[in-house]
Amino acid sequence: PGIRFKVSVDSNETVEIEMVKPSSSAKKCNSKIAKDIGTEWKTLARAFKIGQRDINKIIAENNGSVDDQCAQMLSMYASRKGRSYTKRALVKALFKSGLRSVAEDHRMCKVISTYKNSKRKSNTVKEDDTIAYLKRNTTRL
C-alpha cells in the first residue's frame, strides 16, 4: 500500500494514483525512462516549464540522438529542481504530457481510478431561496 493522490491530466480527466515513496528523488528514474519517452521529450519539457531556448540548446548539443536529448532535459530539470524533483512530480508531469504509459510501464505508480470532469454548471437554486419563494407565494388554507 502506497500513498494516493489525484492528478488532473487535463480539463476533462482526473486520475487517482497510488505510489510508494512519492517524495523520494526521481533522479534514478531518468536513465530508465529516457528511451521510452523518445520524441515526446519536448512535450514533457514544456510540462516542466522548460523554455524553448533551453529546448533548442538541448537539440543543438545532442543533434540526432533523441534519447540523449531526453536524458539531458531530464538531467537539466533535476538540477534545477533539486530536492523537489520527486517521483510524484515526475509522474504528474508524465501524465499531463500524455506519457502515462511510461509511468505505468516502469511501475512508478498504479492507477486506482479515472474520473471524467464535468463541464456543466449547476443551475440549482439555493435551498434558502426556494423556501423564501415558497413562503412569499403560497397561500395558507
Side-chain angles (χ1 to χ4, degrees), residues 30-47:
N30 288 353
S31 60
K32 296 175 188 175
I33 65 172
K35 228 178 236 183
D36 294 334
I37 293 169
T39 58
E40 295 298 315
W41 73 266
K42 290 179 248 175
T43 305
L44 182 59
R46 289 183 191 98

Side-chain angles (χ1 to χ4, degrees), residues 87-101:
K87 284 176 30 180
R88 179 180 183 154
L90 176 58
V91 166
K92 284 176 110 173
L94 288 168
F95 271 73
K96 288 178 183 257
S97 301
L99 295 165
R100 170 182 175 161
S101 62

Side-chain angles (χ1 to χ4, degrees), residues 105-117:
D105 290 350
H106 287 274
R107 300 175 195 259
M108 298 170 73
C109 66
K110 178 181 175 185
V111 174
I112 303 301
S113 54
T114 302
Y115 308 96
K116 295 294 178 190
N117 300 332

Side-chain angles (χ1 to χ4, degrees), residues 40-115:
E40 295 298 315
W41 73 266
K42 290 179 248 175
T43 305
L44 182 59
R46 289 183 191 98
F48 283 144
K49 306 275 191 263
I50 293 175
Q52 191 61 47
R53 180 178 286 171
D54 286 329
I55 291 172
N56 292 342
K57 183 180 174 187
I58 291 168
I59 292 169
E61 290 176 1
N62 298 284
N63 195 7
S65 174
V66 172
D67 292 347
D68 289 346
Q69 291 169 357
C70 182
Q72 184 176 342
M73 180 274 298
L74 290 168
S75 178
M76 173 190 284
Y77 187 72
S79 295
R80 287 182 181 175
K81 296 310 279 184
R83 289 185 151 185
S84 64
Y85 182 54
T86 62
K87 284 176 30 180
R88 179 180 183 154
L90 176 58
V91 166
K92 284 176 110 173
L94 288 168
F95 271 73
K96 288 178 183 257
S97 301
L99 295 165
R100 170 182 175 161
S101 62
V102 174
E104 291 178 312
D105 290 350
H106 287 274
R107 300 175 195 259
M108 298 170 73
C109 66
K110 178 181 175 185
V111 174
I112 303 301
S113 54
T114 302
Y115 308 96

